[in-house]
Amino acid sequence: MKTRAFFFLLLLFLTGFLAADSISPNETKLKKTKLPKIKKENNVLLLKKSNFDRALKETKYLLVEFYVSLSRSPQNLSEEFAEAARQLKKEAPRIQFGKIDVTYQPDLKKEFNIRELPTVKFFVDGSREDPIDCKGVRQASAFITWVKRRTGPSTVLINSTDQAEAIIHADNLAVIGFFKELHNDSVEVFCETARDVPEMAFGMTASEDVCAHYGIQKNVLVVFKKGKPVHNEVLEDGRQNKLDLTRIIKTFTLDLVTEYNLETSVKIFDVPVENHILLFTPTNSETFNTIYENYKSAAAEFRGKIMFVLVDTNESRNGRVFEYFRIKDIDVPAVRILNLTSDAKYKMPADEVTVENLKEFCQSYLNGKAKLHLSSEEIPEDWDKMPVKVLVGKNFNKIVFNKTMTVFVMFYAPWSYECRKLLPIWDKLGEQYESREDVIIAKIDITANDILSVGLDRYPFFTLFPAGPDYQEVAYAGEHTFEAFSKFLEEQSNTKANPGEKDPSGRIKEDLNQKETVITEKKEL
């Protein structure tokens, strides 16, 4: 029985061997799975949809830059990114750098919700779920520090005064955490903060000798600038979070008052302070020194809460900033507060730029008592005489939030070539629907009118406000063609709504019972 089994197994083996031997070399190649190639450029992996999975599987830590090759803006960042990759190549081979040109990889752009370019994300252990955003990092040294703090200790443990002094004097800025003991919530928050602020050296200590040398008796964070302490933040378990500490620490990467220009514009928005106050004034005026000193004096009290920015009105390259805030020569010196989250603007009530007026304005804003400043053109007499109705801030809500009319609005900028190119198409759409009593085609110059009731986007953008009691808005994301606009409007129109009434002169009758919002000044954010 055993002999029969042996010969049977031998027969199976020989049959398999002969069958394998009969497979041609070409067939063998076809059966091998070809792994997608990953090319490198300046030590950075060139990634795309076809090889991204392989890159994740083969790399424990992968820092990826999402960019647009046709844009000039990310060029400097890409160079710094590549330099960081070169420096870490031998020192930390398990950390890889990659880049994805989203112009040609729209699927990856969509998957990772890339809205701003360039964007840098960090992938760990091959997972494509919830990559970590690497925000505000611009220099090669900062990229290196950032990834090291994500893959190892985020702070240096200080055991002696000499070690503390070395960290404090090594660079322009340093942050030291002084603690009674190193196992509490405040220490954890401090270490988390260090990971997000690679621009500065971070150290922490629980040494009694070190704390005594600097006169420290509580758990406290100290920011040193050029070797001298410039800010103390007492740390209490549960009182501060990572964002609070990051916000206050990062403000020291900028001056107390930062002049807006091409170089500082990126840095200003990298600091996570959502409230900005802007002083618009010519820097060569006779009163500038006095105004600036007043502005600087007020700034010290609100560090970490409001960022103080100076805008030179003699600098022509600041033209878009003047336009955004509707600042004219006759207005200067002018002071405005901008909330970056809501896009709400506030005007300082007082004309004189004094320390007292500035402090009162800032405190009033932080207390939620400042009044919104909303700009609006005057309503043109013939605003509704043409097929496309002309909206301004003063009549916007009364027209678009209409229970009986569906309103399709184009938000445009007169100086934009793309907007000017689309205006004839929009006029044609207005003519198409001019006879419809339940549809309005409208346009509004968004550079001259503040509209807070609508989520703003890059010009031109289009929003439909369906008829009905719910006051909804539907953002249009289709092609910018007459046919596409018309099809979208037909699909979205509320055909059950009662036709809007027109008075005998043919003018649209405003629905005065509609929702009242934002055009009247608010007292709260």
Side-chain angles (χ1 to χ4, degrees):
M1 188 73 179
K2 289 182 179 179
T3 306
R4 283 172 132 192
F6 170 76
F7 280 111
F8 179 69
L9 291 171
L10 180 63
L11 180 62
L12 286 176
F13 172 77
L14 291 173
T15 304
F17 177 79
L18 291 171
D21 192 50
S22 66
I23 298 174
S24 68
N26 289 335
E27 288 176 312
T28 304
K29 287 181 180 178
L30 287 173
K31 289 199 172 187
K32 288 182 179 178
T33 303
K34 286 187 176 180
L35 292 173
K37 293 182 179 179
I38 304 179
K39 296 181 180 179
K40 273 192 175 184
E41 181 181 86
N42 297 327
N43 301 299
V44 178
L45 301 173
L46 300 179
L47 302 175
K48 49 189 176 180
K49 185 178 179 180
S50 62
N51 65 18
F52 190 64
D53 274 336
R54 178 184 175 185
L56 288 176
K57 289 175 182 177
E58 295 180 353
T59 310
K60 183 171 180 60
Y61 302 113
L62 180 62
L63 192 65
V64 179
E65 176 195 4
F66 294 81
Y67 73 105
V68 177
S69 58
L70 301 177
S71 173
R72 292 176 58 191
S73 59
Q75 186 63 35
N76 289 339
L77 185 136
S78 293
E79 291 173 359
E80 295 290 332
F81 195 74
E83 175 59 21
R86 185 191 68 78
Q87 292 185 35
L88 282 179
K89 184 179 179 181
K90 291 183 179 180
E91 182 183 345
R94 63 180 184 160
I95 301 172
Q96 292 288 325
F97 287 63
K99 62 181 181 180
I100 296 172
D101 186 349
V102 297
T103 308
Y104 307 106
Q105 305 298 325
D107 290 345
L108 292 176
K109 179 183 179 183
K110 182 179 180 181
E111 178 183 351
F112 297 111
N113 195 29
I114 305 301
R115 296 180 179 274
E116 297 178 3
L117 294 166
T119 287
V120 179
K121 289 182 178 287
F122 189 53
F123 297 83
V124 179
D125 290 330
S127 174
R128 61 200 301 151
E129 300 296 325
D130 299 320
I132 302 166
D133 286 324
C134 177
K135 293 183 177 179
V137 182
R138 297 280 183 270
Q139 304 297 321
S141 58
F143 277 120
I144 292 170
T145 302
W146 193 92
V147 293
K148 281 185 175 181
R149 289 181 182 176
R150 290 283 171 181
T151 58
S154 60
T155 67
V156 176
L157 183 59
I158 299 171
N159 295 310
S160 68
T161 303
D162 289 343
Q163 193 180 2
E165 285 293 298
I167 293 173
I168 290 168
H169 294 278
D171 211 336
N172 187 44
L173 290 163
V175 181
I176 306 294
F178 297 89
F179 300 96
K180 293 292 183 181
E181 49 95 13
L182 296 178
H183 301 285
N184 57 51
D185 292 343
S186 292
V187 172
E188 187 176 336
V189 171
F190 180 81
C191 293
E192 288 176 0
T193 303
R195 292 189 181 98
D196 284 344
V197 190
E199 303 92 337
M200 300 185 192
F202 271 71
M204 66 179 182
T205 185
S207 166
E208 293 182 2
D209 291 340
V210 175
C211 290
H213 177 81
Y214 294 98
I216 303 296
Q217 296 179 344
K218 299 179 179 179
N219 288 350
V220 65
L221 172 157
V222 181
V223 179
F224 292 86
K225 191 168 188 176
K226 296 180 179 178
K228 297 180 179 180
V230 291
H231 180 76
N232 286 18
E233 186 79 12
V234 176
L235 302 175
E236 298 176 7
D237 285 358
R239 190 168 75 88
Q240 292 103 341
N241 57 39
K242 183 179 75 169
L243 181 59
D244 291 334
L245 293 186
T246 303
R247 184 182 291 123
I248 190 69
I249 291 169
K250 277 211 167 190
T251 60
F252 288 95
T253 62
L254 298 171
D255 293 330
L256 195 56
V257 173
T258 303
E259 183 175 352
Y260 180 90
N261 54 44
L262 291 175
E263 182 182 348
T264 62
S265 59
V266 173
K267 295 178 182 179
I268 287 171
F269 291 103
D270 279 345
V271 178
V273 175
E274 66 174 3
N275 306 310
H276 289 193
I277 186 169
L278 299 95
L279 168 62
F280 296 86
T281 186
T283 56
N284 62 353
S285 69
E286 293 181 0
T287 59
F288 173 73
N289 288 338
T290 301
I291 290 174
Y292 180 77
E293 287 304 317
N294 290 342
Y295 195 58
K296 191 175 179 180
S297 296
E301 189 171 319
F302 298 96
R303 183 184 281 276
K305 298 176 183 177
I306 301 176
M307 182 175 294
F308 279 63
V309 180
L310 169 68
V311 183
D312 184 1
T313 55
N314 281 340
E315 175 54 70
S316 59
R317 286 175 293 186
N318 291 336
R320 289 288 174 86
V321 184
F322 310 150
E323 182 182 273
Y324 180 76
F325 285 92
R326 329 279 197 242
I327 299 294
K328 299 176 182 177
D329 290 340
I330 196 172
D331 299 325
V332 297
V335 179
R336 301 286 187 270
I337 286 179
L338 171 68
N339 181 283
L340 298 184
T341 303
S342 67
D343 235 15
K345 305 181 189 74
Y346 301 79
K347 177 182 178 181
M348 188 170 76
D351 292 329
E352 286 189 66
V353 185
T354 65
V355 177
E356 292 74 19
N357 288 339
L358 287 164
K359 286 184 177 181
E360 184 179 347
F361 179 41
C362 291
Q363 197 58 56
S364 172
Y365 167 76
L366 292 175
N367 292 341
K369 296 180 179 180
K371 290 184 177 181
L372 280 170
H373 178 67
L374 298 170
S375 298
S376 173
E377 296 176 296
E378 293 301 320
I379 302 174
E381 291 185 6
D382 59 348
W383 71 272
D384 62 347
K385 293 291 182 65
M386 302 299 289
V388 175
K389 313 310 173 190
V390 179
L391 303 182
V392 296
K394 291 183 177 181
N395 70 351
F396 183 85
N397 282 12
K398 290 181 179 180
I399 302 304
V400 302
F401 295 115
N402 192 309
K403 296 178 181 178
T404 60
M405 307 282 281
T406 291
V407 186
F408 199 11
V409 182
M410 174 184 182
F411 296 82
Y412 73 99
W415 46 261
S416 165
Y417 171 75
E418 186 66 23
C419 292
R420 293 199 304 270
K421 187 171 66 173
L422 288 173
L423 283 172
I425 296 175
W426 204 245
D427 288 337
K428 184 179 177 182
L429 189 70
E431 293 168 3
Q432 173 79 10
Y433 287 89
E434 187 174 16
S435 60
R436 287 275 295 269
E437 294 191 339
D438 61 335
V439 174
I440 297 175
I441 306 298
K443 63 182 179 181
I444 184 168
D445 178 358
I446 201 63
T447 67
N449 300 277
D450 289 323
I451 306 297
L452 295 185
S453 55
V454 176
L456 302 183
D457 204 341
R458 295 191 177 188
Y459 336 118
F461 62 95
F462 307 85
T463 304
L464 183 128
F465 302 87
D470 296 333
Y471 309 114
Q472 300 174 355
E473 58 180 81
V474 182
Y476 177 77
E479 295 181 357
H480 293 172
T481 64
F482 171 77
E483 293 77 16
F485 286 135
S486 184
K487 181 181 178 182
F488 171 78
L489 187 52
E490 288 300 322
E491 291 174 349
Q492 294 288 336
S493 291
N494 187 345
T495 56
K496 294 182 180 179
N498 296 323
E501 299 178 26
K502 292 189 178 182
D503 66 22
S505 66
R507 296 171 69 88
I508 296 169
K509 191 177 289 184
E510 295 176 352
D511 181 0
L512 300 180
N513 294 319
Q514 53 77 49
K515 181 176 76 172
E516 291 292 336
T517 55
V518 302
I519 291 304
T520 56
E521 290 187 330
K522 285 183 178 179
K523 291 187 178 180
E524 296 182 355
L525 278 172

